[in-house]
Amino acid sequence: MTLTPAPGTRLGPYEITAKLGEGGMGEVYRATDSRLKREVAIKVLPPAFTADRERLARFEREAQLLAQLNHPNIAQIYGLEASGETRALVMELVDGPTLAERLEEGAFSITESLSFAQQIALALEEAHEKGIVHRDLKPQNIKASSEGKAKVLDFGLAKAMDATPGASSAADLARSPTLMNSPTLTGVHGTQLGVILGTAAYMAPEQARGGTVDKRADIWAFGVVLHEMLTGRSLFAGPTVSDTLAGVLKTEIDWRALPAETPAEVRRLLRRCLERNPKNRLHDIADARLVLDDLLAGRTDAGEAPPAGSGPVATRSAGWPVKLAWLGAGLVVGALAIAGLGRSLFQPPPARPPVVRSLTYSGTSGSASVSSDGKFMAFVSSRDGTARIWLKQLASGEEVALTAGRDFWPQISPDSGSVLFRRAEKDRTDLYRVPLVGGEPRRLASNIDLAGWSPDGKRIALGRSHDRGSQLLLIPAEGGEEQLLLDRDTGVRTLDWSPDGNSLLLVTAARVNSISSTALETVEVATGKSRELYRLPAGSVCSGARWDGNGAVLFAWSPSQAGRGETLLQRLELGESTPRPVFSFTSLPQRIELAGPGALLFDAGGIHQNLFEIGDGATPGENLGRGLTGGPTRDRQPAFSPDGRRIVFTSDRSGSLDLWSLELASGAIRRLTFDATDDWDPQWSPDGKHLLWSSNRGGHFEVWIAEPDGTGARQASADGRDAENPTMSLDGAWIVYSSSNPAAPGIWKVRPDGRDATRLLAGAYTLPELAPQSGWIAAVETGTENERTVRIVRLEDGAAVAELSVAGRRQNPGRSRWLPDGRTLVFYGDDDSGRAALFQQPIVPGRDTRSERRRVAVSDEQRVIESFGVSPVDGRIVVSAGWADSDILLAEGIPGIGATLPKRAP
């Protein structure tokens, strides 16, 4: 078979749709995977390569090793495909410009350079830990989106394509497989010379001489790439290969070419990376990544802070408290200036880091709003056991309770006269207004998710969710008729009025191929017309966005769904595509609020979840019993092993969502998965020989299966869009899962090898649970705002068995579990008082058993049940229960924010 560029040609299950380019190792095509319904990149290897059987066999062995790389900053290899004499490599298709294409426009800013370098370092760190060296790192092999996301391509392929295990000498360089067979993708009209020159300019000296190549060669190339991002020009490239290699081997590096504002730490890092003697070079890319982490988080060395005005790296907070030495330095400089010595005689002191202090000291507090006159702060606290709105006088520190309870998200009016807040009723959330001096709250609207004052205090913007998405509405400040502004098919998490009152700033959220997609948007109040300002990286979390009153927006975000890792406050100028970081949080706040020029209110802490055992036997007690796990983590979704001795659960304790196991007898905890993406909702196979779970490590959520210790992981489902919440039949012949794929949502079954996918239940169903004994599947259908239905169907044909009506909000459906008899269901819902609880009920086809339903566990005042597991041996129940732990903090002295506060009503 011979491929042609014409669309429609097939290679196995892949349909070629376009030619992307060609290089030393063959032609590259865009293709569609007909089985998984996803686009991929196909590299068709040249005939001269495939004719060498020994070389081809070695390539296949190398490719198997490379396919084990799974990391958000690495383009993944999916597999090898053969058709006749044709051999092709199937890879992740990464759209967007390369770093080389971006650099054609000139140098990057310091912050963007360091951000891309950090992501490249993370990719190299992941590969080096697995013994894989890239060998051909260069801008052409790095995708660099305008949103700031980097992805490294072609890991290890230079070695895989090598004709012999040995390296080439300098004399044979023109024939070097590292050069001639560079996996770099050139343009369709690119030349082989361009490939050679592009590779030679980034080769380490020992690589150019034909010496041994290890991970230090990648560190050299990393340094060359970082230098080029900062300067906008190639460090060694010359008009010929010889000139280029001479530069690599001999030319002194002109460090003066770096921008004057380049931090000292970056200069030192580059010198260590670009040591020609590999023994003197930085030995581990993780050390470079740690330097970049510190710089991006504002943790500069004492006495070596970057000069004032050098950009966000110089102004980011390192934390608190501020050292008294800063105060002394300020007093000395002030005294000298007064004495007439003049500032010109002295170097300016290092930039002062922001001062951060706590404003609350009792219980769990958060969601603060400050009055425009700066005298009061309204906030939520559950210090007395009930969440209610409190008011604090900032001058005296006096605090009083303002509302009766189950209230949240206060907002002080622009005239500082009243407070908006939301109240959780039994079956809905309503919007209320109460005078700042106290009094009886007045209800303004019902079923509200968001609300915000207009700058003049005359109108209130509302957000209300519905089955398809959400609505934005306007009402008068005193309440009254609702005016529909916008009806959309995506959710809205936060809203904020612009200072001029002409538009709303929104944080919107959607699910794209089962991955969260978050964006900042504006909506014109007069027309309802929306405009996207910035789309955050896929899978990240944004907790709030605010206008800073000076032609920019601020937002707090974390790149992790778990809300861990680096969490930043970033500033985005209107009309610009790249935000810049201005402050670093210790944890992702739930809300941010401007409190004046350079001042920010936020909460620190978060939601913690641990595992608790609630009783013994089939009829456990209602109280949450002994704790099985602890610490400031989110331990969720416990599932018992078939013998009842172990629990597998999801936790963010490693910084990402991974699977962990707990030995019940000893309490020993062990990490099972190590992927940087999200692994969650685990289950055991009935024979205990495998684990199943949902993971987005392939770019969207699918079902994965592995050995009980997490090894040998492979994708089991072939949905191609979304497959979650797996559970397996007794004989291991079927995996049952839920899909939110808009083309065919519902409950599906599939063979463990991906064959025979069959939809059992069509519609908005989720969280299937299969009883091995009876073959019944319980699945949750979201119903009305405050009710949902659990449907039970048969595995063999999807025929209905029974259904249950359950009280509880559709946003939190809650998984059901079967007791050991396979005919009694334990399920999640709300009790009569609105608390999260677990119930059990026998399932008898054709008979209403609601009278036999009883409550077996209920959330207590401090801990709310979120998910649970049931032992298949004795019916013991383990729950994941969560609680909030936070205080309100005030950061002052953050450069570049809040220069002009939003206009306030007089």
Side-chain angles (χ1 to χ4, degrees), residues 761-844:
L761 197 56
Y765 292 92
T766 186
L767 298 168
E769 182 74 6
L770 173 60
Q773 300 83 353
S774 61
W776 293 347
I777 302 168
V780 181
E781 179 186 30
T782 57
T784 64
E785 178 68 27
N786 303 292
E787 187 177 64
R788 55 182 178 268
T789 301
V790 179
R791 298 192 185 277
I792 295 95
V793 299
R794 297 189 310 192
L795 170 66
E796 56 265 32
D797 55 9
V801 174
E803 67 177 51
L804 308 174
S805 179
V806 181
R809 300 194 174 195
R810 63 185 177 196
Q811 294 94 334
N812 189 14
R815 191 167 196 160
S816 55
R817 304 280 194 186
W818 293 97
L819 285 180
D821 63 3
R823 293 176 178 271
T824 304
L825 193 66
V826 181
F827 53 91
Y828 183 96
D830 291 348
D831 67 4
D832 292 339
S833 62
R835 294 179 297 176
L838 299 183
F839 301 86
Q840 74 176 43
Q841 182 174 333
I843 305 300
V844 181

Side-chain angles (χ1 to χ4, degrees), residues 95-118:
D95 287 319
T98 65
L99 186 61
E101 292 167 336
R102 291 282 307 278
L103 284 169
E104 290 176 359
E105 303 173 3
F108 293 168
S109 68
I110 298 288
T111 302
E112 191 172 19
S113 297
L114 300 188
S115 176
F116 277 130
Q118 181 195 46

